[in-house]
């Protein structure tokens, strides 16, 4: 029951925002009346929920909602709108083709990932084709005449803070302590967003970090309280100085300071060799983490996690 119609949709070769626009058009609604929890890959076969706000209105006639690019699998009424971030996880099944190399080496890499996790990089898709979202972010920060829609502006700001995060994570990896808390570290419980600061390292903290139940974090830059101290703080401040155009731009646009775990735990990752050159992967990721960040730790693919310098 309720004034929101939830639709579970299977799609391919189209992005989430485009599907939302089509649903709005075919149902005779404003674009703002259609919502979803998160973006899904354009090229993959993906399944996700959308919600349509239909107060006092009947369900749309189903034939009017059919499209060759997506298929409605299920529908139900609900009392609440589906909001961004309103999901527990994303499940992936990926088929890697044309693999060359040692199968045993790949098996070992996946076992290492199961036991130790992977760096929680933002994927290249965050930055747009050719890094264009970062170019627009720089334009937003430097040109007061530049105008963008609220949605596009959010994308550009997110790209800038993601670039800072990736740079901090890369610096921590270079220091050899991206997955090990240091004194003054701001950590998160696995699957939680709240942070707590490590005042002193003891056996319990080290044991919990090794068990993947707590993770060191890095900054999602903006205004607000700054948590870390010591070497963790210094690395972040060094990167902030290098990318000051981004940090100052984010602060001037009143982005709220937040933190993100530097590690993804993948205790249930599974793989199966379909043939000598083809491997099927299955794993689950928390909201906001990228499957490409997992793949880059298993195979050498054309997905380089670079930071565009201002």
């Amino acid at each position: 029951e309720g004034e929101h119609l939830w639709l579970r949709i299977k799609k391919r070769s189209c992005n989430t925002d485009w599907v939302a626009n089509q649903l709005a058009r075919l149902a005779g609604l404003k674009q703002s009346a259609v919502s979803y929890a998160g973006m899904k890959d354009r090229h993959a076969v993906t399944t996700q929920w959308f919600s349509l706000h239909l107060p006092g209105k009947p369900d749309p006639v189903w034939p009017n909602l059919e499209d060759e690019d997506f298929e409605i699998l299920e529908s139900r009424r609900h009392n609440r709108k589906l909001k961004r971030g309103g999901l527990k996880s994303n499940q992936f099944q990926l088929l890697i083709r044309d693999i060359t190399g040692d199968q045993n080496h790949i098996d070992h890499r996946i076992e290492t990932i199961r036991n130790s996790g992977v760096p929680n990089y933002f994927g290249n898709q965050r930055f747009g084709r050719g890094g264009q979202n970062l170019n627009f972010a720089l334009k937003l920060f430097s040109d007061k005449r530049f105008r963008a829609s609220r949605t596009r502006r959010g994308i550009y700001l997110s790209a800038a803070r993601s670039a800072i995060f990736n740079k901090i994570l890369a610096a921590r990896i270079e220091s050899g302590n991206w997955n090990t808390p240091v004194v003054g570290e701001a950590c998160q419980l696995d699957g939680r967003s709240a942070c707590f600061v490590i005042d002193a390292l003891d056996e319990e903290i080290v044991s919990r970090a090794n068990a993947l139940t707590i993770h060191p974090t890095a900054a999602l830059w903006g205004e607000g309280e700054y948590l870390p101290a010591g070497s963790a703080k210094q690395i972040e401040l060094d990167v902030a100085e290098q990318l000051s155009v981004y940090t100052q731009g984010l602060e001037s646009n009143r982005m709220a300071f937040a933190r993100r775990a530097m590690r993804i735990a993948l205790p249930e990752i599974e793989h199966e060799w379909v043939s000598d050159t083809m491997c099927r992967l299955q794993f689950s990721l928390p909201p906001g983490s990228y499957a490409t960040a997992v793949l880059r730790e298993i195979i050498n693919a054309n997905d380089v996690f670079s930071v565009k310098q201002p």
Side-chain angles (χ1 to χ4, degrees):
E1 62 180 16
E3 61 185 37
H4 299 275
L5 176 65
W6 284 33
L7 302 175
R8 190 164 69 93
I9 288 179
K10 181 178 180 180
K11 69 176 186 62
R12 183 174 189 169
S13 300
C14 51
N15 65 39
T16 298
D17 192 51
W18 183 87
V19 172
N21 290 337
Q22 295 304 302
L23 291 173
R25 180 181 63 83
L26 294 170
L29 301 172
K30 293 182 179 180
Q31 184 177 344
S32 59
V34 180
S35 59
Y36 46 85
M39 305 289 282
K40 299 292 180 285
D41 187 82
R42 175 194 297 270
H43 302 291
V45 179
T46 65
T47 302
Q48 69 179 117
W49 287 92
F50 292 79
S51 71
L52 284 64
H53 191 204
L54 297 167
K57 298 179 181 179
D59 291 357
V61 179
W62 292 119
N64 293 337
L65 279 176
E66 293 301 326
D67 189 280
E68 61 181 10
D69 296 305
F70 60 87
E71 174 188 359
I72 299 169
L73 302 178
E74 185 180 353
S75 68
R76 64 179 65 173
R77 284 281 179 163
H78 203 285
N79 288 310
R80 294 184 179 181
K81 170 184 177 180
L82 183 60
K83 295 182 178 180
R84 288 292 183 98
L87 70 160
K88 182 178 180 181
S89 64
N90 290 302
Q91 288 81 42
F92 294 86
Q93 184 179 105
L94 306 177
L95 190 63
I96 308 173
R97 306 172 188 271
D98 303 324
I99 297 172
T100 58
D102 186 347
Q103 284 191 14
N104 291 330
H105 184 55
I106 292 178
D107 293 342
H108 176 71
R109 286 191 182 193
I110 294 172
E111 182 63 24
T112 300
I113 287 171
R114 185 179 295 114
N115 294 328
S116 304
V118 298
N120 194 16
Y121 279 115
F122 285 98
N124 268 357
Q125 54 268 56
R126 185 75 160 194
F127 307 113
R129 186 172 299 173
Q132 63 181 359
N133 290 343
L134 290 175
N135 292 330
F136 283 123
L138 292 173
K139 193 169 184 179
L140 180 67
F141 297 155
S142 62
D143 186 353
K144 293 182 178 180
R145 296 171 298 176
F146 179 66
R147 294 290 180 267
S149 68
R150 182 178 179 181
T151 299
R152 299 307 303 178
R153 180 176 173 274
I155 289 172
Y156 305 151
L157 293 174
S158 293
R161 74 196 316 215
S162 299
I164 298 168
F165 176 92
N166 277 9
K167 188 77 170 179
I168 294 170
L169 176 52
R172 290 291 297 265
I173 290 173
E174 188 175 345
S175 298
N177 58 10
W178 67 279
N179 57 357
T180 304
V182 297
V183 175
E185 189 88 70
C187 289
Q188 290 177 346
L189 295 173
D190 187 51
R192 304 292 181 87
S193 59
C195 290
F196 60 96
V197 176
I198 303 297
D199 296 321
L201 288 178
D202 54 33
E203 287 188 13
E204 181 186 359
I205 291 296
V206 173
S207 176
R208 293 172 69 188
N210 291 338
L212 308 180
T213 61
I214 63 171
H215 309 294
T217 66
L220 293 173
W221 207 269
E223 289 187 321
E225 182 182 8
Y226 193 85
L227 293 176
S231 60
K233 177 180 180 179
Q234 191 57 52
I235 286 177
E236 294 193 358
L237 293 181
D238 289 344
V239 171
E241 184 176 357
Q242 296 170 32
L243 300 179
S244 59
V245 173
Y246 291 157
T247 56
Q248 292 171 11
L250 290 166
E251 290 170 5
S252 65
N253 279 271
R254 312 301 298 272
M255 289 291 285
F257 202 98
R259 301 197 66 81
R260 170 183 170 95
M262 287 192 288
R263 178 172 61 179
I264 312 168
L266 290 159
E268 298 179 358
I269 186 171
E270 299 291 343
H271 74 293
E272 172 192 7
W273 287 98
V274 180
S275 70
D276 290 341
T277 60
M278 193 179 301
C279 183
R280 180 178 288 111
L281 281 174
Q282 285 189 231
F283 53 88
S284 177
L285 293 178
S289 293
Y290 288 75
T292 46
V294 179
L295 282 178
R296 76 190 297 273
E297 304 301 325
I298 299 172
I299 59 172
N300 296 319
N302 295 324
D303 189 12
V304 180
F305 287 74
S306 59
V307 174
K308 190 176 183 65
Q309 298 290 344

